[in-house]
mmCIF file of all heavy atoms in Angstrom:
data_model
loop_
_atom_site.group_PDB
_atom_site.id
_atom_site.type_symbol
_atom_site.label_atom_id
_atom_site.label_comp_id
_atom_site.label_asym_id
_atom_site.label_seq_id
_atom_site.Cartn_x
_atom_site.Cartn_y
_atom_site.Cartn_z
ATOM 1 N N ARG C 113 -208.295 -82.568 153.368
ATOM 2 C CA ARG C 113 -206.962 -82.011 153.096
ATOM 3 C C ARG C 113 -207.072 -80.513 152.824
ATOM 4 O O ARG C 113 -207.881 -80.087 151.994
ATOM 5 C CB ARG C 113 -206.332 -82.733 151.896
ATOM 6 C CG ARG C 113 -204.960 -82.206 151.604
ATOM 7 C CD ARG C 113 -204.150 -83.123 150.760
ATOM 8 N NE ARG C 113 -202.810 -82.578 150.579
ATOM 9 C CZ ARG C 113 -201.886 -83.131 149.862
ATOM 10 N NH1 ARG C 113 -202.118 -84.275 149.251
ATOM 11 N NH2 ARG C 113 -200.703 -82.573 149.745
ATOM 12 N N VAL C 114 -206.262 -79.749 153.525
ATOM 13 C CA VAL C 114 -206.269 -78.298 153.350
ATOM 14 C C VAL C 114 -205.021 -77.897 152.566
ATOM 15 O O VAL C 114 -203.911 -78.331 152.899
ATOM 16 C CB VAL C 114 -206.283 -77.593 154.734
ATOM 17 C CG1 VAL C 114 -206.193 -76.087 154.594
ATOM 18 C CG2 VAL C 114 -207.540 -77.981 155.511
ATOM 19 N N GLN C 115 -205.213 -77.128 151.514
ATOM 20 C CA GLN C 115 -204.076 -76.711 150.678
ATOM 21 C C GLN C 115 -204.183 -75.226 150.373
ATOM 22 O O GLN C 115 -205.285 -74.698 150.237
ATOM 23 C CB GLN C 115 -204.082 -77.466 149.347
ATOM 24 C CG GLN C 115 -204.145 -78.976 149.492
ATOM 25 C CD GLN C 115 -204.110 -79.684 148.146
ATOM 26 O OE1 GLN C 115 -203.122 -80.326 147.824
ATOM 27 N NE2 GLN C 115 -205.153 -79.577 147.355
ATOM 28 N N ILE C 116 -203.035 -74.600 150.251
ATOM 29 C CA ILE C 116 -203.011 -73.169 149.951
ATOM 30 C C ILE C 116 -202.577 -72.973 148.509
ATOM 31 O O ILE C 116 -201.589 -73.577 148.069
ATOM 32 C CB ILE C 116 -201.985 -72.441 150.866
ATOM 33 C CG1 ILE C 116 -202.246 -72.767 152.343
ATOM 34 C CG2 ILE C 116 -202.002 -70.926 150.623
ATOM 35 C CD1 ILE C 116 -203.639 -72.470 152.833
ATOM 36 N N ILE C 117 -203.311 -72.130 147.793
ATOM 37 C CA ILE C 117 -202.836 -71.732 146.470
ATOM 38 C C ILE C 117 -202.603 -70.222 146.493
ATOM 39 O O ILE C 117 -203.235 -69.507 147.267
ATOM 40 C CB ILE C 117 -203.792 -72.149 145.327
ATOM 41 C CG1 ILE C 117 -205.179 -71.491 145.478
ATOM 42 C CG2 ILE C 117 -203.927 -73.660 145.253
ATOM 43 C CD1 ILE C 117 -206.054 -71.657 144.240
ATOM 44 N N GLY C 118 -201.669 -69.763 145.671
ATOM 45 C CA GLY C 118 -201.343 -68.333 145.666
ATOM 46 C C GLY C 118 -199.850 -68.157 145.829
ATOM 47 O O GLY C 118 -199.104 -69.130 145.934
ATOM 48 N N ASP C 119 -199.441 -66.899 145.870
ATOM 49 C CA ASP C 119 -198.014 -66.592 145.921
ATOM 50 C C ASP C 119 -197.553 -66.504 147.381
ATOM 51 O O ASP C 119 -197.682 -65.454 148.025
ATOM 52 C CB ASP C 119 -197.755 -65.275 145.175
ATOM 53 C CG ASP C 119 -196.279 -65.043 144.949
ATOM 54 O OD1 ASP C 119 -195.458 -65.673 145.665
ATOM 55 O OD2 ASP C 119 -195.936 -64.247 144.067
ATOM 56 N N ARG C 120 -197.037 -67.623 147.868
ATOM 57 C CA ARG C 120 -196.654 -67.703 149.292
ATOM 58 C C ARG C 120 -195.599 -66.675 149.672
ATOM 59 O O ARG C 120 -195.521 -66.258 150.828
ATOM 60 C CB ARG C 120 -196.100 -69.104 149.608
ATOM 61 C CG ARG C 120 -197.156 -70.161 149.504
ATOM 62 C CD ARG C 120 -196.563 -71.551 149.494
ATOM 63 N NE ARG C 120 -197.633 -72.465 149.123
ATOM 64 C CZ ARG C 120 -198.081 -73.457 149.888
ATOM 65 N NH1 ARG C 120 -197.482 -73.744 151.019
ATOM 66 N NH2 ARG C 120 -199.093 -74.211 149.493
ATOM 67 N N SER C 121 -194.769 -66.291 148.681
ATOM 68 C CA SER C 121 -193.673 -65.381 149.009
ATOM 69 C C SER C 121 -194.205 -64.003 149.443
ATOM 70 O O SER C 121 -193.485 -63.210 150.036
ATOM 71 C CB SER C 121 -192.728 -65.241 147.812
ATOM 72 O OG SER C 121 -193.384 -64.524 146.783
ATOM 73 N N LEU C 122 -195.477 -63.710 149.139
ATOM 74 C CA LEU C 122 -196.037 -62.396 149.485
ATOM 75 C C LEU C 122 -196.662 -62.368 150.878
ATOM 76 O O LEU C 122 -197.011 -61.305 151.392
ATOM 77 C CB LEU C 122 -197.113 -62.002 148.455
ATOM 78 C CG LEU C 122 -196.673 -61.896 146.998
ATOM 79 C CD1 LEU C 122 -197.866 -61.622 146.095
ATOM 80 C CD2 LEU C 122 -195.624 -60.794 146.830
ATOM 81 N N LEU C 123 -196.811 -63.530 151.497
ATOM 82 C CA LEU C 123 -197.526 -63.598 152.785
ATOM 83 C C LEU C 123 -196.592 -63.348 153.973
ATOM 84 O O LEU C 123 -195.408 -63.702 153.923
ATOM 85 C CB LEU C 123 -198.175 -64.976 152.936
ATOM 86 C CG LEU C 123 -199.309 -65.278 151.944
ATOM 87 C CD1 LEU C 123 -199.690 -66.757 151.995
ATOM 88 C CD2 LEU C 123 -200.533 -64.404 152.228
ATOM 89 N N PRO C 124 -197.115 -62.786 155.069
ATOM 90 C CA PRO C 124 -196.271 -62.587 156.260
ATOM 91 C C PRO C 124 -195.756 -63.953 156.761
ATOM 92 O O PRO C 124 -196.526 -64.924 156.786
ATOM 93 C CB PRO C 124 -197.235 -61.987 157.293
ATOM 94 C CG PRO C 124 -198.449 -61.577 156.547
ATOM 95 C CD PRO C 124 -198.496 -62.312 155.263
ATOM 96 N N PRO C 125 -194.466 -64.015 157.156
ATOM 97 C CA PRO C 125 -193.857 -65.304 157.513
ATOM 98 C C PRO C 125 -194.592 -66.055 158.632
ATOM 99 O O PRO C 125 -194.721 -67.277 158.562
ATOM 100 C CB PRO C 125 -192.446 -64.920 157.969
ATOM 101 C CG PRO C 125 -192.196 -63.584 157.366
ATOM 102 C CD PRO C 125 -193.511 -62.916 157.184
ATOM 103 N N ASP C 126 -195.121 -65.332 159.641
ATOM 104 C CA ASP C 126 -195.804 -66.049 160.733
ATOM 105 C C ASP C 126 -197.103 -66.681 160.253
ATOM 106 O O ASP C 126 -197.463 -67.787 160.666
ATOM 107 C CB ASP C 126 -196.044 -65.125 161.936
ATOM 108 C CG ASP C 126 -196.895 -63.919 161.570
ATOM 109 O OD1 ASP C 126 -196.773 -63.419 160.440
ATOM 110 O OD2 ASP C 126 -197.705 -63.492 162.406
ATOM 111 N N LEU C 127 -197.804 -65.999 159.326
ATOM 112 C CA LEU C 127 -199.026 -66.588 158.756
ATOM 113 C C LEU C 127 -198.653 -67.815 157.924
ATOM 114 O O LEU C 127 -199.270 -68.879 158.042
ATOM 115 C CB LEU C 127 -199.782 -65.546 157.910
ATOM 116 C CG LEU C 127 -200.963 -66.076 157.101
ATOM 117 C CD1 LEU C 127 -202.040 -66.688 158.005
ATOM 118 C CD2 LEU C 127 -201.602 -64.960 156.247
ATOM 119 N N LEU C 128 -197.628 -67.656 157.106
ATOM 120 C CA LEU C 128 -197.197 -68.758 156.246
ATOM 121 C C LEU C 128 -196.855 -70.009 157.066
ATOM 122 O O LEU C 128 -197.214 -71.137 156.694
ATOM 123 C CB LEU C 128 -195.986 -68.322 155.406
ATOM 124 C CG LEU C 128 -195.509 -69.319 154.356
ATOM 125 C CD1 LEU C 128 -196.611 -69.676 153.363
ATOM 126 C CD2 LEU C 128 -194.302 -68.762 153.592
ATOM 127 N N GLU C 129 -196.210 -69.774 158.192
ATOM 128 C CA GLU C 129 -195.837 -70.892 159.060
ATOM 129 C C GLU C 129 -197.077 -71.668 159.533
ATOM 130 O O GLU C 129 -197.118 -72.894 159.494
ATOM 131 C CB GLU C 129 -195.114 -70.314 160.280
ATOM 132 C CG GLU C 129 -194.101 -71.255 160.908
ATOM 133 C CD GLU C 129 -193.389 -70.541 162.040
ATOM 134 O OE1 GLU C 129 -192.609 -69.605 161.751
ATOM 135 O OE2 GLU C 129 -193.655 -70.903 163.191
ATOM 136 N N THR C 130 -198.117 -70.916 159.928
ATOM 137 C CA THR C 130 -199.371 -71.555 160.368
ATOM 138 C C THR C 130 -200.041 -72.285 159.200
ATOM 139 O O THR C 130 -200.556 -73.398 159.361
ATOM 140 C CB THR C 130 -200.343 -70.488 160.944
ATOM 141 O OG1 THR C 130 -199.642 -69.741 161.917
ATOM 142 C CG2 THR C 130 -201.566 -71.115 161.564
ATOM 143 N N LEU C 131 -200.030 -71.668 158.030
ATOM 144 C CA LEU C 131 -200.652 -72.299 156.859
ATOM 145 C C LEU C 131 -199.957 -73.616 156.544
ATOM 146 O O LEU C 131 -200.599 -74.637 156.280
ATOM 147 C CB LEU C 131 -200.557 -71.381 155.631
ATOM 148 C CG LEU C 131 -201.227 -70.007 155.720
ATOM 149 C CD1 LEU C 131 -200.929 -69.183 154.475
ATOM 150 C CD2 LEU C 131 -202.734 -70.151 155.894
ATOM 151 N N GLN C 132 -198.629 -73.580 156.604
ATOM 152 C CA GLN C 132 -197.866 -74.796 156.289
ATOM 153 C C GLN C 132 -198.125 -75.882 157.330
ATOM 154 O O GLN C 132 -198.166 -77.072 156.996
ATOM 155 C CB GLN C 132 -196.377 -74.477 156.185
ATOM 156 C CG GLN C 132 -196.068 -73.779 154.857
ATOM 157 C CD GLN C 132 -194.669 -73.181 154.798
ATOM 158 O OE1 GLN C 132 -194.072 -72.888 155.836
ATOM 159 N NE2 GLN C 132 -194.166 -72.988 153.596
ATOM 160 N N ALA C 133 -198.321 -75.469 158.590
ATOM 161 C CA ALA C 133 -198.614 -76.448 159.638
ATOM 162 C C ALA C 133 -199.974 -77.110 159.370
ATOM 163 O O ALA C 133 -200.131 -78.325 159.560
ATOM 164 C CB ALA C 133 -198.599 -75.776 161.002
ATOM 165 N N ALA C 134 -200.960 -76.313 158.910
ATOM 166 C CA ALA C 134 -202.287 -76.870 158.596
ATOM 167 C C ALA C 134 -202.189 -77.816 157.399
ATOM 168 O O ALA C 134 -202.811 -78.892 157.386
ATOM 169 C CB ALA C 134 -203.278 -75.748 158.309
ATOM 170 N N GLU C 135 -201.380 -77.442 156.422
ATOM 171 C CA GLU C 135 -201.203 -78.328 155.259
ATOM 172 C C GLU C 135 -200.552 -79.642 155.692
ATOM 173 O O GLU C 135 -200.976 -80.729 155.282
ATOM 174 C CB GLU C 135 -200.319 -77.647 154.201
ATOM 175 C CG GLU C 135 -201.035 -76.557 153.440
ATOM 176 C CD GLU C 135 -200.176 -75.989 152.313
ATOM 177 O OE1 GLU C 135 -198.986 -75.692 152.551
ATOM 178 O OE2 GLU C 135 -200.697 -75.831 151.204
ATOM 179 N N ALA C 136 -199.519 -79.516 156.540
ATOM 180 C CA ALA C 136 -198.791 -80.714 156.970
ATOM 181 C C ALA C 136 -199.689 -81.638 157.792
ATOM 182 O O ALA C 136 -199.644 -82.866 157.638
ATOM 183 C CB ALA C 136 -197.559 -80.307 157.781
ATOM 184 N N ALA C 137 -200.558 -81.052 158.621
ATOM 185 C CA ALA C 137 -201.433 -81.859 159.495
ATOM 186 C C ALA C 137 -202.487 -82.625 158.700
ATOM 187 O O ALA C 137 -203.084 -83.570 159.218
ATOM 188 C CB ALA C 137 -202.111 -80.955 160.515
ATOM 189 N N THR C 138 -202.731 -82.203 157.450
ATOM 190 C CA THR C 138 -203.806 -82.842 156.666
ATOM 191 C C THR C 138 -203.267 -83.492 155.380
ATOM 192 O O THR C 138 -204.058 -83.911 154.529
ATOM 193 C CB THR C 138 -204.884 -81.787 156.298
ATOM 194 O OG1 THR C 138 -204.274 -80.750 155.500
ATOM 195 C CG2 THR C 138 -205.498 -81.148 157.536
ATOM 196 N N ARG C 139 -201.955 -83.537 155.266
ATOM 197 C CA ARG C 139 -201.299 -83.991 154.035
ATOM 198 C C ARG C 139 -201.764 -85.380 153.561
ATOM 199 O O ARG C 139 -201.869 -85.644 152.376
ATOM 200 C CB ARG C 139 -199.780 -83.986 154.246
ATOM 201 C CG ARG C 139 -198.987 -84.325 153.003
ATOM 202 C CD ARG C 139 -197.521 -84.111 153.198
ATOM 203 N NE ARG C 139 -197.192 -82.703 153.346
ATOM 204 C CZ ARG C 139 -196.293 -82.217 154.198
ATOM 205 N NH1 ARG C 139 -195.616 -83.020 154.980
ATOM 206 N NH2 ARG C 139 -196.055 -80.928 154.249
ATOM 207 N N GLU C 140 -202.042 -86.263 154.510
ATOM 208 C CA GLU C 140 -202.377 -87.643 154.137
ATOM 209 C C GLU C 140 -203.857 -87.825 153.789
ATOM 210 O O GLU C 140 -204.264 -88.920 153.423
ATOM 211 C CB GLU C 140 -202.020 -88.609 155.293
ATOM 212 C CG GLU C 140 -200.563 -88.579 155.736
ATOM 213 C CD GLU C 140 -199.597 -88.925 154.604
ATOM 214 O OE1 GLU C 140 -199.954 -89.786 153.776
ATOM 215 O OE2 GLU C 140 -198.516 -88.313 154.537
ATOM 216 N N TYR C 141 -204.661 -86.780 153.943
ATOM 217 C CA TYR C 141 -206.107 -86.939 153.744
ATOM 218 C C TYR C 141 -206.515 -86.755 152.280
ATOM 219 O O TYR C 141 -205.932 -85.951 151.564
ATOM 220 C CB TYR C 141 -206.873 -85.932 154.621
ATOM 221 C CG TYR C 141 -206.657 -86.116 156.101
ATOM 222 C CD1 TYR C 141 -206.866 -85.063 156.983
ATOM 223 C CD2 TYR C 141 -206.252 -87.343 156.632
ATOM 224 C CE1 TYR C 141 -206.683 -85.219 158.344
ATOM 225 C CE2 TYR C 141 -206.063 -87.507 157.991
ATOM 226 C CZ TYR C 141 -206.273 -86.446 158.843
ATOM 227 O OH TYR C 141 -206.094 -86.595 160.190
ATOM 228 N N SER C 142 -207.571 -87.491 151.892
ATOM 229 C CA SER C 142 -208.012 -87.343 150.501
ATOM 230 C C SER C 142 -209.508 -87.586 150.306
ATOM 231 O O SER C 142 -209.951 -87.850 149.192
ATOM 232 C CB SER C 142 -207.217 -88.294 149.596
ATOM 233 O OG SER C 142 -207.367 -89.620 150.035
ATOM 234 N N ASN C 143 -210.301 -87.493 151.385
ATOM 235 C CA ASN C 143 -211.756 -87.622 151.190
ATOM 236 C C ASN C 143 -212.335 -86.321 150.638
ATOM 237 O O ASN C 143 -213.152 -86.332 149.723
ATOM 238 C CB ASN C 143 -212.465 -87.927 152.520
ATOM 239 C CG ASN C 143 -212.327 -89.379 152.902
ATOM 240 O OD1 ASN C 143 -211.662 -90.157 152.218
ATOM 241 N ND2 ASN C 143 -212.939 -89.750 154.015
ATOM 242 N N TYR C 144 -211.890 -85.218 151.223
ATOM 243 C CA TYR C 144 -212.329 -83.894 150.791
ATOM 244 C C TYR C 144 -211.104 -82.986 150.675
ATOM 245 O O TYR C 144 -210.117 -83.195 151.382
ATOM 246 C CB TYR C 144 -213.297 -83.268 151.811
ATOM 247 C CG TYR C 144 -214.568 -84.047 151.965
ATOM 248 C CD1 TYR C 144 -214.703 -84.990 152.987
ATOM 249 C CD2 TYR C 144 -215.638 -83.857 151.103
ATOM 250 C CE1 TYR C 144 -215.874 -85.725 153.130
ATOM 251 C CE2 TYR C 144 -216.808 -84.581 151.236
ATOM 252 C CZ TYR C 144 -216.919 -85.514 152.255
ATOM 253 O OH TYR C 144 -218.073 -86.230 152.384
ATOM 254 N N PHE C 145 -211.223 -81.993 149.792
ATOM 255 C CA PHE C 145 -210.117 -81.051 149.593
ATOM 256 C C PHE C 145 -210.635 -79.621 149.740
ATOM 257 O O PHE C 145 -211.609 -79.254 149.088
ATOM 258 C CB PHE C 145 -209.508 -81.207 148.196
ATOM 259 C CG PHE C 145 -208.826 -82.532 147.997
ATOM 260 C CD1 PHE C 145 -209.562 -83.662 147.672
ATOM 261 C CD2 PHE C 145 -207.450 -82.659 148.151
ATOM 262 C CE1 PHE C 145 -208.937 -84.899 147.511
ATOM 263 C CE2 PHE C 145 -206.821 -83.882 147.993
ATOM 264 C CZ PHE C 145 -207.567 -85.009 147.675
ATOM 265 N N VAL C 146 -209.987 -78.870 150.622
ATOM 266 C CA VAL C 146 -210.325 -77.450 150.751
ATOM 267 C C VAL C 146 -209.089 -76.661 150.337
ATOM 268 O O VAL C 146 -208.042 -76.733 150.990
ATOM 269 C CB VAL C 146 -210.733 -77.087 152.194
ATOM 270 C CG1 VAL C 146 -210.990 -75.590 152.305
ATOM 271 C CG2 VAL C 146 -211.969 -77.867 152.624
ATOM 272 N N ASN C 147 -209.200 -75.965 149.223
ATOM 273 C CA ASN C 147 -208.088 -75.147 148.743
ATOM 274 C C ASN C 147 -208.389 -73.701 149.073
ATOM 275 O O ASN C 147 -209.472 -73.209 148.763
ATOM 276 C CB ASN C 147 -207.932 -75.286 147.227
ATOM 277 C CG ASN C 147 -207.935 -76.736 146.800
ATOM 278 O OD1 ASN C 147 -207.159 -77.538 147.303
ATOM 279 N ND2 ASN C 147 -208.836 -77.102 145.893
ATOM 280 N N VAL C 148 -207.449 -73.043 149.710
ATOM 281 C CA VAL C 148 -207.689 -71.647 150.070
ATOM 282 C C VAL C 148 -206.729 -70.773 149.269
ATOM 283 O O VAL C 148 -205.502 -70.962 149.318
ATOM 284 C CB VAL C 148 -207.512 -71.427 151.590
ATOM 285 C CG1 VAL C 148 -207.899 -69.991 151.953
ATOM 286 C CG2 VAL C 148 -208.368 -72.411 152.381
ATOM 287 N N ALA C 149 -207.325 -69.843 148.513
ATOM 288 C CA ALA C 149 -206.519 -68.946 147.677
ATOM 289 C C ALA C 149 -206.151 -67.709 148.483
ATOM 290 O O ALA C 149 -207.012 -66.924 148.879
ATOM 291 C CB ALA C 149 -207.321 -68.555 146.431
ATOM 292 N N LEU C 150 -204.862 -67.568 148.742
ATOM 293 C CA LEU C 150 -204.339 -66.432 149.518
ATOM 294 C C LEU C 150 -203.203 -65.803 148.729
ATOM 295 O O LEU C 150 -202.340 -66.541 148.215
ATOM 296 C CB LEU C 150 -203.809 -66.929 150.867
ATOM 297 C CG LEU C 150 -204.855 -67.320 151.922
ATOM 298 C CD1 LEU C 150 -204.226 -68.176 152.996
ATOM 299 C CD2 LEU C 150 -205.484 -66.083 152.545
ATOM 300 N N ALA C 151 -203.176 -64.496 148.655
ATOM 301 C CA ALA C 151 -202.215 -63.795 147.801
ATOM 302 C C ALA C 151 -202.280 -64.403 146.402
ATOM 303 O O ALA C 151 -201.284 -64.693 145.760
ATOM 304 C CB ALA C 151 -200.793 -63.894 148.359
ATOM 305 N N TYR C 152 -203.513 -64.630 145.968
ATOM 306 C CA TYR C 152 -203.752 -65.311 144.697
ATOM 307 C C TYR C 152 -204.089 -64.308 143.591
ATOM 308 O O TYR C 152 -204.794 -63.319 143.810
ATOM 309 C CB TYR C 152 -204.931 -66.297 144.848
ATOM 310 C CG TYR C 152 -205.277 -66.970 143.554
ATOM 311 C CD1 TYR C 152 -204.662 -68.153 143.172
ATOM 312 C CD2 TYR C 152 -206.195 -66.378 142.671
ATOM 313 C CE1 TYR C 152 -204.953 -68.747 141.949
ATOM 314 C CE2 TYR C 152 -206.484 -66.962 141.448
ATOM 315 C CZ TYR C 152 -205.865 -68.150 141.104
ATOM 316 O OH TYR C 152 -206.141 -68.730 139.890
ATOM 317 N N GLY C 153 -203.572 -64.597 142.405
ATOM 318 C CA GLY C 153 -203.938 -63.860 141.198
ATOM 319 C C GLY C 153 -203.901 -64.867 140.060
ATOM 320 O O GLY C 153 -202.967 -65.667 139.970
ATOM 321 N N GLY C 154 -204.928 -64.850 139.226
ATOM 322 C CA GLY C 154 -205.042 -65.872 138.187
ATOM 323 C C GLY C 154 -203.918 -65.830 137.168
ATOM 324 O O GLY C 154 -203.390 -66.866 136.748
ATOM 325 N N ARG C 155 -203.527 -64.620 136.767
ATOM 326 C CA ARG C 155 -202.456 -64.538 135.763
ATOM 327 C C ARG C 155 -201.128 -64.944 136.386
ATOM 328 O O ARG C 155 -200.296 -65.601 135.750
ATOM 329 C CB ARG C 155 -202.399 -63.128 135.171
ATOM 330 C CG ARG C 155 -203.644 -62.841 134.358
ATOM 331 C CD ARG C 155 -203.432 -61.749 133.382
ATOM 332 N NE ARG C 155 -203.102 -60.484 134.031
ATOM 333 C CZ ARG C 155 -202.852 -59.370 133.386
ATOM 334 N NH1 ARG C 155 -202.863 -59.361 132.075
ATOM 335 N NH2 ARG C 155 -202.573 -58.278 134.030
ATOM 336 N N ASN C 156 -200.962 -64.578 137.655
ATOM 337 C CA ASN C 156 -199.759 -64.951 138.397
ATOM 338 C C ASN C 156 -199.620 -66.489 138.460
ATOM 339 O O ASN C 156 -198.522 -67.036 138.340
ATOM 340 C CB ASN C 156 -199.879 -64.379 139.814
ATOM 341 C CG ASN C 156 -198.541 -64.106 140.440
ATOM 342 O OD1 ASN C 156 -197.540 -64.012 139.744
ATOM 343 N ND2 ASN C 156 -198.508 -63.992 141.756
#
Side-chain angles (χ1 to χ4, degrees):
R113 181 162 183 182
V114 176
Q115 307 182 110
I116 307 304
I117 61 169
D119 192 341
R120 293 167 191 241
S121 70
L122 301 175
L123 293 169
D126 59 325
L127 172 61
L128 186 58
E129 208 176 291
T130 308
L131 300 175
Q132 284 168 336
E135 285 185 313
T138 61
R139 185 171 292 140
E140 303 301 324
Y141 298 157
S142 57
N143 281 3
Y144 297 95
F145 294 82
V146 176
N147 311 306
V148 185
L150 286 162
Y152 177 89
R155 293 201 298 179
N156 207 19

